[in-house]
Amino acid sequence: MNSANTTTRTASGGCLCGAVRYEVHGPLRSVVNCHCGQCRRAHGHFAAYTKCARGALRLVADRTLKWYVSSATARRGFCDRCGSSLFWEPVHEAGVSIAAGTLDSPTGLHTSQQIFVDAAADYYDIDESLPRLPGSMSR
Ligand SMILES: [Zn+2]
Ligand SMILES: [Zn+2]
């Protein structure tokens, strides 16, 4: 019979070239858009992140996964072959954010909030239908 540790895969995803592949075995948060300057540079636009518990993320293939320490409190996971931005992992939290665009479809998720709106770039319009949080998620 199944042990208590057995969980169902709730999502999967990977980078552009396929060298990094992951599975999520636990609930995923709805997607939060982060407009901060670090996310915009790392993703080429604002970032759309879902999130799971650290223990729920299983790296299936990670030979090309590298981590960039982007601040004193977080690091960003990317593929050093194709350049995809995949993960944002804070030092002091028990979760890891996953770039929603790297999930396999269908994700079953929706976008619920946005943060660091004050840091948004000037070339796009803010989606006023999304609630704004005074986010501290992505520094
Ligand atoms: Zn890749
Ligand atoms: Zn951010």
Side-chain angles (χ1 to χ4, degrees):
M1 295 299 290
N2 290 342
S3 76
N5 291 329
T6 302
T7 55
T8 306
R9 187 180 76 174
T10 50
S12 62
C15 67
L16 176 60
C17 76
V20 178
R21 292 291 305 172
Y22 63 83
E23 295 180 347
V24 180
H25 294 252
L28 281 169
R29 189 198 61 194
S30 61
V31 175
V32 173
N33 292 341
C34 182
H35 299 272
C36 85
Q38 290 188 16
C39 282
R40 286 193 287 104
R41 290 191 189 278
H43 291 259
H45 194 35
F46 66 77
Y49 277 120
T50 181
K51 189 175 192 176
C52 70
R54 191 165 292 163
L57 178 65
R58 295 187 190 172
L59 296 170
V60 179
D62 65 351
R63 204 163 39 84
T64 63
L65 178 64
K66 294 292 188 299
W67 292 93
Y68 173 66
V69 178
S70 54
S71 75
T73 56
R75 62 180 190 164
R76 293 172 183 270
F78 65 98
C79 174
D80 79 347
R81 181 192 286 172
C82 70
S84 295
S85 295
L86 294 128
F87 307 118
W88 181 83
E89 186 175 60
V91 174
H92 300 297
E93 292 177 31
V96 55
S97 291
I98 301 170
T102 67
L103 289 167
D104 297 331
S105 292
T107 69
L109 300 174
H110 71 286
T111 303
S112 63
Q113 289 164 344
Q114 55 188 341
I115 60 175
F116 288 111
V117 172
D118 290 348
D122 59 4
Y123 66 89
Y124 59 88
D125 294 325
I126 298 299
D127 183 348
E128 298 297 346
S129 70
L130 287 177
R132 302 180 182 199
L133 283 192
S136 58
M137 168 185 122
S138 287
R139 294 294 182 182

